[in-house]
Amino acid sequence: MSGRAAASLTRLRRGVWHLRRGGMKQLRAWSLRERSERHQTGPGGLRGAEGAWSGRGPRRHLSFAAGASLGRPPRRAELRVGVILDEFSLAAFDYEWTTVLLDPRRWREQCETEQLDFVFIESAWSGEQCETEQLDFVFIESAWSGNSRLWRGKIGGPAGPSSEFRHLMAWCREQGLPTAFWNKEDPPHYADFLQAATLADWVFTSDEGRIGSYCRDLGHERVAVLPFAAQPAIHNPVRPLHGRHSRDIAFAGMYFAHKYPERREQLQMLLGGAMDASPTMEHGLEIFSRLLDGGAEYQFPAPLDSRVVGSLRYDQMLTAYKAYKVFLNVNSVVDSPSMCARRIFEISASGTPVVSAPSAAIPEFFQADEVPVASTRAEARQLVRALVRNSELNDRTAHLAQRRIWAGHTYAHRAERVVAAVVPHRSEPVRRPSVSALVPTIRRGQLEQLCRTIGGQVGVQTQLVLLAHGIPLSEQEVRAVGRAHGIDDVVFLTEPSATTLGACLNRCADAADGEVLAKMDDDDHYGPQYLSDQLFALDYSGADLVGKQAHYMHLTTSDAVILRSGEREHRFTDFVMGPTIVARAELMASNPFPDLRRGEDTAFLRTVAASGGSVYSSDRFNYVQVRSATGHTWQIGDAELLAAGDLKFYGRPYEHVDI
């Protein structure tokens, strides 16, 4: 039986079980949940991020299923860019532009018919299509074997660029088709790709320290820094159904016995510390060697060789990013303020902390609580032990690093930097959507707290849409309190107490001006980063609606703080807590809340899921659902809540939850 047939049979058996256990109602609920989870990375023959051993003896190795993208079109599909990129960069920029992989045999045909905007080339050692592809520009990077090895040895090296590459660049200049060259191998390979760089209209470098050298050697100032970044379509915290953080520590990379002495010292320090910590762990340190079958000068020496477990393709590495509790990073370049390793952005965005050896670039991009840096073997041992042992520390570290990345270090930001330089009239800076907070209230006494919460949101432009639901509240008072807390945009509405909550929410949605609408309660706690993080989640997940299924709850009668549905964090789902619903305005317009007094949010979510909409449960931070004995539209006893959640501590939760 094929894997697909076996999976279908398993789903059928589970469906029958739910039908027998709870009838059609439970079957429908399970079916919606099962459908929502298909948005997550598929197992590909293995279960999620669980590793599998194969081979025998010295050829025994650890493998992972290939990672999958979230399946989204290019962010700016209208930009047509001819590219020569390696597989890593192509995977990143392919979600930003409509990319045309230039071929050294037919680049002119491609360029003329594809209507390109520009050509983007990376420093590739190993990209024909310009006449037929009608490109906007050409983008080339310093890849050793660009475009599936078609340009191997044709861009860099002692002999300089090949005739195919020179003809491509000369033709682009004659036709007025802008070209951009990205040397991501700076500074060690500056000389190898300098001749290629002289042929481009714009030059981007991974090393800020080389800008002066380029300006001098090229005779112009069309030079800018372009660091690495993360691509949320493939580097994201969406958790696999199985195997997430099931292993301990990983390092993936190469060993150079013949060059980069500082890097070798970092490896001995960082990997040595991880080896020292390994006896206390189930798996300990595992090394994936990028040149496992290469020459002797690329093999890890003893005792590190005992920790080598194989080699992974890039698509498998995307899954491995989520399988380990900690990844390690060393730097071939330690003195550049901008040469920050690609893996730091990618792994952090995937939800796993990175412990790095020192580098001048890391503090330029990340704080110490986002990407910890170890300077000694003892520090490395303690840092990896702490992150492996403490899931709370682990998740908080990854979350803080992700927030930094979403705010300014995605390939959307990098792509727009290129566009702004090369074809500035086509530039569209990355911007955040405006937000309207929808708040029907029956509690006049919560106005001050509500305005303090909305006014305290950081990194977002927020409109307050407040509906007084059967209570004596004046517009003048609402606007005055709003202004006192920095809220300039207030929409004030009223409805009699007979109006259902669903109808009140629809009226709020109709009156809102925001591109994104957020349903919020007046007595729950929302940390200052709440709305900003939810907007990030809406973007990196690509979901139609985001919210929090995993969430903290404060039981004020006992002062207990519990975590509910913790296992549903960072997953596509069919349910999130009503006060955390965040969606684009169009979704709420096409799926109005039902005319109900209670359960209107649950019914709304079912409508969205049934219509094929995707729902994503984001992180557990920056929100606390407050439950007291009275005053809520649904009632459930403390004992029942404690039985369904995990008790975390007693006392004020906000210092713990707000990060």
Side-chain angles (χ1 to χ4, degrees), residues 13 28 108 114 139 262 292 334 345 471 479 513 543 553 592 614:
R13 287 172 175 168
R28 281 193 294 268
R108 180 173 296 183
E114 287 289 346
F139 184 37
E262 289 182 325
L292 188 59
V334 299
F345 298 102
I471 58 173
R479 292 189 179 280
D513 297 324
M553 178 178 282
S614 56

Side-chain angles (χ1 to χ4, degrees), residues 205-516:
T205 173
S206 55
D207 177 24
E208 185 178 350
R210 284 290 174 173
I211 291 180
S213 299
Y214 275 116
C215 291
R216 181 191 66 240
D217 293 341
L218 301 179
H220 65 74
E221 296 185 352
R222 297 186 304 277
V223 182
V225 66
L226 190 71
F228 293 118
Q231 174 50 259
I234 55 177
H235 313 126
N236 55 69
V238 181
R239 295 179 182 176
L241 296 178
H242 304 280
R244 187 251 176 186
H245 284 192
S246 58
R247 309 190 77 83
D248 298 316
I249 315 163
F251 174 77
M254 292 187 286
Y255 188 87
F256 300 100
H258 57 302
K259 58 181 179 178
Y260 302 135
E262 289 182 325
R263 186 178 188 277
R264 286 200 303 275
E265 291 178 8
Q266 288 192 345
L267 278 170
Q268 293 294 339
M269 179 273 292
L270 193 62
L271 274 63
M275 284 192 66
D276 295 343
S278 293
T280 64
M281 303 172 189
E282 181 180 359
H283 303 288
L285 173 65
E286 294 175 329
I287 298 173
F288 295 96
S289 175
R290 194 168 297 167
L291 286 178
L292 188 59
D293 297 323
E297 66 271 25
Y298 297 107
Q299 305 310 308
F300 285 82
L304 295 177
D305 60 342
S306 66
R307 291 286 171 173
V308 175
V309 295
S311 183
L312 296 176
R313 302 187 313 268
Y314 184 62
D315 57 354
Q316 295 174 308
M317 188 58 66
L318 295 177
T319 301
Y321 286 167
K322 301 183 181 186
Y324 288 85
K325 297 180 179 71
V326 178
F327 258 82
L328 305 177
N329 172 71
V330 297
N331 311 282
S332 298
V333 179
V334 299
D335 56 355
S336 168
S338 61
M339 186 58 171
C340 195
R342 186 197 301 263
R343 68 175 66 90
I344 295 181
F345 298 102
E346 297 182 351
I347 298 167
S348 297
S350 300
T352 296
V354 176
V355 174
S356 179
S359 157
I362 292 176
E364 298 295 323
F365 290 93
F366 297 98
Q367 300 292 326
D369 58 351
E370 298 165 354
V371 175
V373 174
S375 299
T376 67
R377 183 164 178 155
E379 286 182 3
R381 176 173 62 90
Q382 297 296 359
L383 279 172
V384 298
R385 283 188 66 190
L387 288 165
V388 168
R389 181 183 179 90
N390 297 286
S391 61
E392 186 71 26
L393 174 65
N394 190 297
D395 289 345
R396 293 168 78 89
T397 302
H399 185 83
L400 291 172
Q402 286 166 1
R403 183 184 290 153
R404 182 78 59 180
I405 290 168
W406 310 142
H409 302 300
T410 70
Y411 277 101
H413 297 97
R414 303 297 186 253
E416 286 304 328
R417 178 176 294 191
V418 174
V419 173
V422 180
V423 282
H425 62 287
R426 305 292 299 278
S427 178
E428 292 183 9
V430 179
R431 56 173 291 274
R432 309 202 74 184
S434 58
V435 184
S436 292
L438 313 183
V439 191
T441 182
I442 59 173
R443 288 174 281 268
R444 190 175 189 278
Q446 290 295 111
L447 178 61
E448 187 81 27
Q449 174 60 32
L450 171 63
C451 291
R452 185 181 297 113
T453 294
I454 301 300
Q457 297 298 302
V458 300
V460 292
Q461 176 187 339
T462 309
Q463 174 190 64
L464 172 61
V465 181
L466 179 66
L467 185 147
H469 191 189
I471 58 173
L473 195 60
S474 71
E475 181 173 357
Q476 183 180 6
E477 180 183 4
V478 171
R479 292 189 179 280
V481 176
R483 282 194 300 272
H485 292 283
I487 307 172
D488 297 322
D489 191 352
V490 175
V491 175
F492 178 73
L493 306 168
T494 63
E495 284 288 339
S497 56
T499 306
T500 66
L501 185 52
C504 290
L505 286 166
N506 290 331
R507 182 148 186 239
C508 288
D510 291 341
D513 297 324
E515 298 164 89
V516 171

